[in-house]
Amino acid sequence: MKIMVISDIHNDVPYTKAAIELFRKEKFDKLYILGDILEDPIRLLNPLSDQILAVKGNCDSYEEEELARFPLPYLNYDYQFGKFIVMTHGHYYNDFNYDDKYDIFLEGHTHRSFIRKDTQGRIVANPGSLASPRDGYCSYMEIDEKGMKVKSIDSGALIHWLDF
């Protein structure tokens, strides 16, 4: 199992196309989208709907929910690699106000990528922004049985990583 995580696309068509191309080329099994997608990228992502788990961001509206062929709740969940994964955009729920149990908490919203492990062994991570970074990297995340990596969508350079 190999998962791609993207966030904060903000209607950027070229970076959405680049992410879809990489998703297919690298044979990812699932695509997690952590919100702020907007209309044009949703149209491009709809053909992958059976592989997408997504959440609604603060910039996504009712129109995006109607257009998407995949659900856009504020929280979404998955269980992979023996880990319970929680996904959110970060504007309503984040690692500071989410009190339920999790192994991995994925959030977007800040446009800054990071991966950190807390004292309880839980992982909190943000893939950064695919198209509008505030940390200098247009980035995405890979998750597989070995761990997590944040990479540049432009160069493939490794930005952050954590081994399981």
Side-chain angles (χ1 to χ4, degrees):
M1 175 64 65
K2 191 172 167 183
I3 301 166
M4 175 186 254
V5 185
I6 59 176
S7 187
D8 297 285
I9 302 167
H10 291 283
N11 217 37
D12 190 291
V13 169
Y15 275 111
T16 303
K17 287 180 178 179
I20 292 168
E21 182 180 322
L22 184 65
F23 181 85
R24 290 182 172 139
K25 179 183 169 199
E26 296 292 323
K27 296 180 174 32
F28 284 94
D29 299 292
K30 287 188 177 184
L31 176 59
Y32 295 168
I33 308 173
L34 304 181
D36 285 358
I37 309 164
L38 303 178
E39 289 182 24
D40 293 333
I42 285 177
R43 287 185 181 93
L44 294 170
L45 291 161
N46 272 339
L48 300 173
S49 64
D50 61 334
Q51 295 169 285
I52 292 175
L53 283 175
V55 295
K56 185 176 183 175
N58 59 297
C59 293
D60 295 317
S61 68
Y62 178 76
E63 288 79 18
E64 280 82 24
E65 284 185 88
E66 289 296 307
L67 182 62
R69 291 188 205 145
F70 45 88
L72 285 171
Y74 285 112
L75 285 168
N76 214 334
Y77 310 92
D78 202 8
Y79 189 82
Q80 296 295 331
F81 320 112
K83 300 185 182 313
F84 181 63
I85 302 169
V86 175
M87 293 162 262
T88 187
H89 181 62
H91 64 301
Y92 285 135
Y93 302 100
N94 56 53
D95 62 308
F96 296 110
N97 69 5
Y98 185 82
D99 295 327
D100 292 338
K101 292 184 180 193
Y102 63 87
D103 297 302
I104 299 174
F105 192 90
L106 298 173
E107 61 186 22
H109 189 56
T110 65
H111 297 228
R112 296 178 189 277
S113 63
F114 67 83
I115 303 172
R116 68 176 182 256
K117 191 181 246 186
D118 70 15
T119 57
Q120 299 172 37
R122 299 178 307 178
I123 297 166
V124 178
N126 188 322
S129 176
L130 187 64
S132 305
R134 292 184 181 143
D135 60 1
Y137 303 100
C138 293
S139 56
Y140 70 98
M141 181 180 290
E142 289 182 14
I143 307 174
D144 62 20
E145 69 280 348
K146 296 176 187 173
M148 306 168 74
K149 299 174 186 171
V150 174
K151 293 182 171 182
S152 164
I153 191 86
D154 295 314
S155 68
L158 188 61
I159 301 167
H160 308 285
W161 73 93
L162 177 73
D163 295 329
F164 291 149

